[in-house]
Amino acid sequence: MEGLLSATSTSDAIRPTQRTWSIGELARHFDVTTRTIRFYEQEGLLHPQRRGQTRIYHDKDRVRLKLTLRGKRLGFSLAEIREVVDLYDAADGGGEKQLTRLLDILAEKREGLERQLRDLTAMQRELDDVETRAREALARLTTHG
């Protein structure tokens, strides 16, 4: 799933390492606040290791944060992100169930966007109609006044 929801650039790919990150390092890397990261942790999307009060983030957490942020940009709800990321974890990198669910969510998002586009197009036609009638009425007033 990472490849599906993340940038396609290989330089942006997450490679398995034993590196760990602090909350501040992740926040800077992904250009988010530490509060955002703590929120995603409270929502069950991230599971850092704890040493006292210090959070220690591993590769899996970094990938989950990256997928969460990408999902948010695509308009996924936190529940949808959690569901797909949890399936990703359960399938150890993805699987048929996870990909099928991802495709279902994408189809729902696309349908919603198409509906919004139709609504906006109809609203734009209505605005154009009202504008045309207002200009015609104004023209009649100025030529007869």
Side-chain angles (χ1 to χ4, degrees), residues 1-12:
M1 176 159 114
E2 181 186 345
L4 296 172
L5 290 183
S6 65
T8 56
S9 166
T10 55
S11 64
D12 197 31

Side-chain angles (χ1 to χ4, degrees), residues 80 101 103-113 115:
E80 291 167 331
R101 181 60 185 134
L103 289 171
D104 290 345
I105 293 170
L106 291 171
E108 292 167 13
K109 296 296 173 204
R110 184 176 306 279
E111 184 179 306
L113 287 172
R115 187 173 37 256

